[in-house]
Each structure stands twice: as structure tokens, then as C-alpha cells.
Amino acid sequence: MKICCLVKEVPDAAVTKRMDPDSKRLDRSGEKNLNPFDTHAIEAAMQIKEGGTPVEEIVAVTMGPDSAVRALHKAVALGADRSVHLSDAALEGSDVCATGYALAKILETENPDLVLLGQQSDDGECYTIGAVVADHLKMPSLTQVIKMDAADGKLTCERQAEYGYDTVEIDMPAVISVGDAINEPRYPSLKAIMGAKKKPLDTKAVADAGIEADRIGEGGSRTTVLALAEPPQKEAGEVIEDEDTNETVEKIVAWLDERKLI
Amino acid sequence: MAIATGTYEDKTEEQKAIIEMVRQFVDEQILPNAEEYDHEDKFPEPIVEQMKELGLFGVTIPEEYGGMGLDLTTYTMIVEELSRGWISISGVVNTHFIGSYLLMKFGTEEQKDYFLPKMATGEIRAAFSLSEPEVGSDVQGIKTSAVKEGDDWVINGQKMWVTNGLGSSVVFLLVKTDPKADPPYKGMTCFITEKEAWEHENTGEYAGLNIPPAIKKMGYKGVESTELVYDGYKCPSGRILGGEEDGLGEGFRQMMDALEVGRVNVAARGVGIAQRALELGLRYSQERKTFGKPIAEHQAIQFKLADMATKVEAARLVTLKAARMKDAGERSDLEAGMAKLLASETGKEVVEDCFRIHGGYGYSKEYEIERLYRDAPLLLIGEGTSEIQRMVIGKKLIQRHKI
């Protein structure tokens, strides 16, 4: 079995996120890191491997500028065997659809049995890239998976939903986006960190993967950002002073009732 | 609240990746649990076990012995991060680091082969011991002695303030082997004394080494500081650091050399605790309101924050400079002393400023700053007091600039 983990370099969680008004894109300057949600995908891959299912290879795949190499180093420090870096100036400005297409082309060359990724990126927070990739690869796809067992070419997954949990069995190859409740990612040991640069890293350009130039980048994207605006300020809540608890409860119930919430 | 420290551009890619990991470990494993261990004065066993798995006991030990072979600068950065979480955690590692430094620099091949692989994994932990009940800074006044009997040396005497004195399996011990030596330091030798970890009374081949109950302290809890009572403890001559032929009478020089890196190490702890106090001060001052606005908007508090951040930055740079000089093979005794003096005093000052920012709540055990306030003074004393640092710095300055 071969597992590919899609990973992304994102601004460090400690950096305050802001939109660049000129490019209308997220300002990605400053300290960057491996998307923390993707560490759950790598950990899930490691747990399949350590759980006894034969896994020949775990490959970390990213699309991003030169600096994204650091995210790949972290991915291999966390356990991936090698990494693939799709990097090309032509990709700049790609939206979710274009990014998903480009990543799918890279994955086609890798031919994995299972593609894992985190539920969302910590910067764009679209939650959708897994589904886009799966569509291009014609593979079944699940999101918000918080438990996963691999056996006989099938995956039994528990998927978190608003109403509870679904248990779903799907055939591999498949694309699974994992929820962050699936596991507690390990810390990379010093040895793994120091050994990360020794693991193979392939850098690929658009042409290497047969990616059609008019389907990527700003021009190849279907999304056009027209304007940016601050989200509306939250209105101040209503404070009920707790003078008499019975009365307070009544007030809260009445408030909820008025809004048909109970 | 994690805040950017501003030193990232000084780090190599590996150092960045290592510090990122250690910081995450501190944020997730140490900071949420430190209060509990501190209040119960309990050894943080699960945290220490994880640190062994991560390789944090073998940072500076060469790869051929199973360590990472990293330099003092990287180690200093790691110690700062660990101390940002809790200085007791760095205390567990620090004596181990001094022990491995002594072995790496002065040990015989047999001693290195025997101890270093087990130390690199943390399977055994090391302590070191100079101080005695009546002797601290004036090391040449120690009374613990070793007398040769056959192939063994018999050690008698009482040691004091031994960090990891109970949990360690090996203690690097400074004793007098020639009481008539003049000057006295020429009659001092470092023995590698083995013991059972966590045993108060050693038996069998380690008989004659007893460890009384740990000393009760104001802060620096969780990691034990003990006395060691050597009473007829037999140490084979092969356990003289560097071997009997080369190591006898060399103990003082060896220990002073190790204390030089130890000073950089304590400096890093000062930077770490100060960094944490700055973070806590920045957070609390933006949450707490007086006179209708967050206290961070009052200039009185802003000035404190400004001074705190400035001092932390300065202490960090001086500390890293001393580490980098040592790594480059340059003489750095003066710089190590300066770093220790500045960073430990900075630790105390920034912690106190943060404590004042917290007002009455800083005095409550509900807030982390209360622990930092009890922990910070250790650094003013350990590995040479500020007064001793000033003596060393003053003496070296005049030596280097004699007219």
C-alpha cells in the first residue's frame, strides 16, 4: 500500500493573519510552518503503517513556493519516507479548483492507494481541496474522518457529522480528509529532524507533471476576488444579571423561546 | 500567548525545526502541567520520559555514542525554550549536560564508551557535585576526600545542593585527593561515582553513599536538590575522570571548564524564564482594566513592558554570543560570566515586573507568575552567584586589558 499525504505551508499560528489589499490574497509573509491539520494526516498514515498493514511508502506532497521545502522537511521528520514539491511561478494565484487540479496531476504520477490530508488549511480554511482532488482522480472521498481502519483494499471510516457519526466503508484508492480528533500527532524527535534533509525530495515544475498551463495560476482560476471587507462586528450580547436564579432561568428560557430555539 | 522572539533569522534550518518542536512540546506538555508538579513538588516523570524519546538527553553527545552531536548554541536555544516552560525541566537536563561535557572533554575512551551511549538515550541520568554544607563559591575549601586503598579510592564527606542527587545514576564528584597540596586546587580530583537511581541507601558495590530526604526549597520544585553522604564509598581508580594517571589532581580544572559552559546554560534559563514573564505580562496587561481601559494602555505599564522586552532581547543576544564563541573554539570565559550575570538578573527583574503588572493576582497561586517569582532567584545563585560572576568578569577584564 502506498499513501500520499497532501501537506501545505501556512503562516505560523502566532502570526496575525491579514489580507493584502493589493493582490486581494492572504498576506503570507513572515514565519511559516507546516499546516497543523496536515500533521494529523501524516500521523494517521504512520498509524496505519505501525498498525500492521503493509505500507511500502508514505509520500508527502505539496504545492508552494521555495520556502515550502521546510514544511516538507517537517513532514518527513514526522514519518513520511520522501516528499514531492510542486513549485512553479505559473502556479501563483491558483484558487482551490486550480490547486486541486495541479495536485491531482502530481498524484496521478505517484499512483497512491490512499490520499490523506488535513480537514482544512490554517490559512485559506476552505475545507474543500480533498473533494476537488478526488473528483479529478475519480476516487471516492470522505471528509471529517476521525477513525479509519484499512483492511483488504477497503477502508472503514468513522465520519464526524453534525448529528453524530457515520460509519462508512469505501474502496481504495480513496481520498480521505481527516478531522483533527483522529489522533494526537507525535513530536518529531531530534534524530528525525536532523535526518529530514537526507530523505529524498523531488522538485517538480508544471511541465514535469503534464499540468495544462491555462488551468492554473490566476488566469486559470475560476474564482475572481472582487472586493474585500471586514466581517461585521458582533453585536454586544444581552447580559442578564443573576439576582434570583429561578428568575434568571425563566428569562433565559423566554429569550430562547422567543427565537424558537427550544 | 506565543510571541515571536525575533531571533529566527539567526537560526539554521535545523535549529528552527528543533526549536519549533521544543516550543510545541513546551506549550502542550510542560506549561499546562507545571503548576501541578510545582504545587505537589513532584518529579515530572511523564514529561522526562517523553524528553528521552525526543532525544533531548543526548543533544550534545556525539552521534557515534548515539547522541545528536549538536553544538552548544543549539543546546542553549533548547534550554531557553524548556526554561520558558519550567526551569525545573531544564534542571533535569542541565546536570546531565555538564556530566556529558566532562566525559566528552576529559573522559578516557573506556569511560566514554561505558557511559555516553546510556546517557545519550537518558537511560541513565547524570548529576555533578562541588558544594558542601560550608562551601559553595570557595570551591578550594571542600573537605570531602578520597584515600587510596588497594585499587580503590575510599570517599568520605558530605556534599550539598546536588540537583538530581537522588534520581541520577552517576555523580561527577569533586573531592580532595591530596590535602597537603599547595595551592589546594592541585590536590583535587573528579570521580565518576555510580549509584542506584532513586535509592536513598545504596548497597552492594555502591554501598557507602546515602542520600537524605531532599532539601525543601522556595521554588525550583519537582526536581530534587539533595545532600550526598559518602561514608566509606569505594570508587575504582578507573573511575577517576580521565583515568588515574592523567586525571588525578585535575579535578578542579576540569570542573571549572565545565562550569564555563554551565554558565551559558544557566544564562539560557534566565532568558527562558524572562521570556515567559514577558509573555504573561503582555497578556495580563491587555486583559486587566483599570480606570476604564486595559492597563497596557497606561504608560506606567507600557514602560515596564518596554523595559522587560528590551532586557530579554539583550540577555538573549549576550547568551547566544557566549555560546557561539565557545562553539567557534574561542576563549569565552569573560562572555560566559557576563551572560550568566546579565541573564539571571534579567530573569529576576523581568519576573518581578510581570509580578507587579499582575497586582494582587500575582500573589495568588492561581497565576503562573507566582511560580516564576519563586523560581527565578535560583538562577542568581546556581552555577556561581552574581557576586562571583562579577569577581570573575572583573579579574578577566583587568587581565585582558593590563596596562
Side-chain angles (χ1 to χ4, degrees):
Chain A
M1 178 169 170
K2 176 173 172 178
I3 305 175
C4 281
C5 293
L6 292 177
V7 300
K8 187 180 183 187
E9 182 199 44
V10 297
D12 191 87
V15 176
T16 311
K17 287 171 207 144
R18 58 176 286 273
M19 301 300 288
D20 177 2
D22 296 329
S23 69
K24 296 199 180 70
R25 286 184 216 144
L26 190 72
D27 176 3
R28 289 190 171 84
S29 61
E31 207 52 48
K32 285 181 271 294
N33 208 332
L34 172 63
N35 177 28
F37 295 97
D38 297 339
T39 61
H40 294 277
I42 297 164
E43 181 64 32
M46 289 299 287
Q47 289 186 9
I48 291 173
K49 187 177 175 179
E50 289 164 358
T53 307
V55 173
E56 291 89 57
E57 210 180 19
I58 299 170
V59 186
V61 178
T62 200
M63 173 180 130
D66 291 350
S67 60
V69 166
R70 273 199 68 223
L72 289 176
H73 284 153
K74 178 142 186 204
V76 294
L78 285 165
D81 298 295
R82 65 181 175 86
S83 56
V84 180
H85 183 194
L86 174 61
S87 185
D88 201 312
L91 292 159
E92 212 177 306
S94 295
D95 66 0
V96 172
C97 289
T99 304
Y101 159 73
L103 285 170
K105 295 300 280 182
I106 287 285
L107 289 169
E108 271 173 19
T109 66
E110 289 290 337
N111 198 24
D113 301 291
L114 179 60
V115 178
L116 295 174
L117 68 159
Q119 63 180 33
Q120 77 201 79
S121 64
D122 202 32
D123 54 356
E125 301 194 67
C126 291
Y127 291 73
T128 44
I129 204 82
V132 178
V133 166
D135 191 47
H136 283 290
L137 295 175
K138 309 268 182 290
M139 287 182 190
S141 168
L142 287 176
T143 56
Q144 297 293 332
V145 168
I146 51 136
K147 196 164 178 285
M148 185 167 50
D149 290 304
D152 310 322
K154 285 183 196 304
L155 280 175
T156 311
C157 299
E158 225 167 80
R159 174 172 68 176
Q160 213 167 11
E162 282 150 18
Y163 47 81
Y165 300 96
D166 289 328
T167 303
V168 186
E169 189 184 87
I170 60 169
D171 290 325
M172 285 193 273
V175 179
I176 306 288
S177 139
V178 301
D180 55 2
I182 192 168
N183 53 39
E184 285 280 328
R186 66 198 67 188
Y187 301 98
S189 70
L190 290 185
K191 207 180 182 119
I193 291 170
M194 298 304 289
K197 276 192 179 166
K198 291 173 196 142
K199 291 190 177 177
L201 190 160
D202 293 322
T203 306
K204 292 195 172 172
V206 162
D208 302 329
I211 295 168
E212 293 166 37
D214 59 351
R215 298 179 68 179
I216 52 161
E218 201 163 354
S221 290
R222 299 179 187 189
T223 315
T224 311
V225 180
L226 300 175
L228 296 171
E230 294 271 340
Q233 288 279 345
K234 263 192 188 169
E235 284 176 39
E238 186 183 331
V239 178
I240 302 170
E241 291 292 340
D242 183 25
E243 282 153 7
D244 176 330
T245 305
N246 287 332
E247 247 174 63
T248 307
V249 171
E250 271 173 37
K251 280 181 192 164
I252 293 171
V253 170
W255 189 93
L256 291 168
D257 197 37
E258 241 170 67
R259 285 159 184 79
K260 307 245 179 295
L261 293 168
I262 48 174
Chain B
M1 172 197 264
I3 56 168
T5 60
T7 55
Y8 262 15
E9 65 274 18
D10 290 344
K11 295 186 176 88
T12 65
E13 285 298 313
E14 272 89 3
Q15 284 168 342
K16 271 193 200 179
I18 289 168
I19 293 315
E20 205 173 277
M21 179 275 280
V22 178
R23 186 169 298 176
Q24 192 191 352
F25 178 71
V26 167
D27 284 342
E28 294 174 359
Q29 306 296 330
I30 300 181
L31 281 169
N33 297 311
E35 304 313 308
E36 187 193 330
Y37 287 114
D38 172 79
H39 290 171
E40 292 175 23
D41 198 3
K42 195 168 83 181
F43 185 74
E45 180 84 33
I47 295 174
V48 172
E49 287 306 310
Q50 283 184 82
M51 287 164 62
K52 288 179 185 174
E53 282 170 31
L54 294 175
L56 290 170
F57 282 87
V59 176
T60 54
I61 296 174
E63 285 177 82
E64 55 186 298
Y65 298 107
M68 295 314 304
L70 293 166
D71 57 14
L72 180 64
T73 306
T74 310
Y75 178 74
T76 301
M77 292 170 177
I78 292 174
V79 171
E80 180 195 324
E81 294 298 329
L82 291 175
S83 308
R84 176 182 160 268
W86 186 20
I87 63 161
S88 295
I89 295 292
S90 54
V92 173
V93 182
N94 286 342
T95 64
H96 190 80
F97 159 75
I98 300 272
S100 40
Y101 178 86
L102 283 167
L103 274 172
M104 277 148 37
K105 183 140 185 197
F106 303 109
T108 64
E109 288 309 311
E110 186 273 331
Q111 289 168 351
K112 287 194 248 188
D113 289 343
Y114 181 77
F115 289 106
L116 286 177
K118 285 187 277 188
M119 286 171 68
T121 58
E123 180 192 333
I124 61 168
R125 295 195 291 112
F128 74 101
S129 168
L130 288 80
S131 293
E132 296 185 356
E134 291 169 32
V135 183
S137 301
D138 178 18
V139 180
Q140 294 197 56
I142 60 167
K143 294 198 182 90
T144 301
S145 65
V147 177
K148 190 154 189 191
E149 279 181 20
D151 281 340
D152 290 334
W153 288 79
V154 179
I155 302 176
N156 283 293
Q158 193 182 349
K159 289 289 181 183
M160 190 74 182
W161 299 119
V162 186
T163 303
N164 298 303
L166 189 62
S168 56
S169 302
V170 57
V171 181
F172 293 80
L173 181 79
L174 189 68
V175 304
K176 274 197 171 161
T177 40
D178 179 5
K180 294 191 206 81
D182 184 28
Y185 73 83
K186 289 191 172 165
M188 292 161 77
T189 302
C190 178
F191 283 84
I192 310 170
T193 61
E194 291 183 79
K195 61 188 271 299
E196 286 293 336
W198 302 112
E199 285 295 332
H200 284 282
E201 284 186 33
N202 284 275
T203 52
E205 55 179 330
Y206 307 140
L209 171 53
N210 294 328
I211 297 129
I215 302 162
K216 293 210 183 299
K217 295 168 294 189
M218 171 167 74
Y220 197 35
K221 308 252 185 185
V223 55
E224 78 284 5
S225 304
T226 71
E227 297 168 59
L228 298 178
V229 181
Y230 287 87
D231 183 10
Y233 176 93
K234 283 186 180 156
C235 193
S237 54
R239 287 290 168 262
I240 288 177
L241 182 63
E244 191 169 60
E245 199 174 314
D246 294 330
L248 194 65
E250 290 296 314
F252 184 82
R253 194 177 60 81
Q254 293 164 338
M255 282 290 191
M256 289 305 122
D257 187 319
L259 282 185
E260 196 176 303
V261 291
R263 288 195 179 116
V264 179
N265 178 33
V266 175
R269 298 167 78 182
V271 179
I273 198 169
Q275 168 70 31
R276 183 63 186 162
L278 171 61
E279 290 170 17
L280 294 175
L282 276 169
R283 183 166 65 195
Y284 187 80
S285 62
Q286 293 177 75
E287 287 167 357
R288 170 75 177 180
K289 288 186 180 128
T290 61
F291 306 105
K293 55 184 175 181
I295 59 172
E297 288 174 25
H298 296 303
Q299 203 170 46
I301 300 299
Q302 268 183 22
F303 276 18
K304 268 198 210 309
L305 292 169
D307 283 346
M308 289 159 74
T310 306
K311 286 177 188 174
V312 172
E313 199 63 20
R316 179 179 292 123
L317 291 176
V318 172
T319 301
L320 285 174
K321 183 185 173 186
R324 291 198 166 108
M325 285 178 76
K326 183 82 185 172
D327 282 334
E330 288 173 44
R331 188 174 159 179
S332 58
D333 46 0
L334 180 66
E335 288 73 12
M338 286 175 169
K340 203 278 174 181
L341 174 64
L342 181 68
S344 61
E345 292 288 344
T346 294
K348 185 212 71 172
E349 289 165 13
V350 174
V351 163
E352 181 168 341
D353 276 346
C354 175
F355 168 79
R356 286 171 189 256
I357 287 172
H358 276 70
Y361 288 107
Y363 209 63
S364 139
K365 283 200 183 283
E366 294 292 308
Y367 282 78
E368 192 182 328
I369 187 61
E370 185 270 344
R371 169 172 61 80
L372 269 54
Y373 196 82
R374 288 181 288 107
D375 282 348
L378 166 85
L379 306 175
L380 303 171
I381 311 293
E383 246 95 312
T385 61
S386 290
E387 291 71 24
I388 288 289
Q389 303 311 324
R390 288 191 174 94
M391 275 169 59
V392 172
I393 295 165
K395 210 166 110 187
K396 300 281 172 195
L397 270 179
I398 293 164
Q399 269 175 12
R400 285 197 199 177
H401 303 281
K402 224 176 174 85
I403 51 168

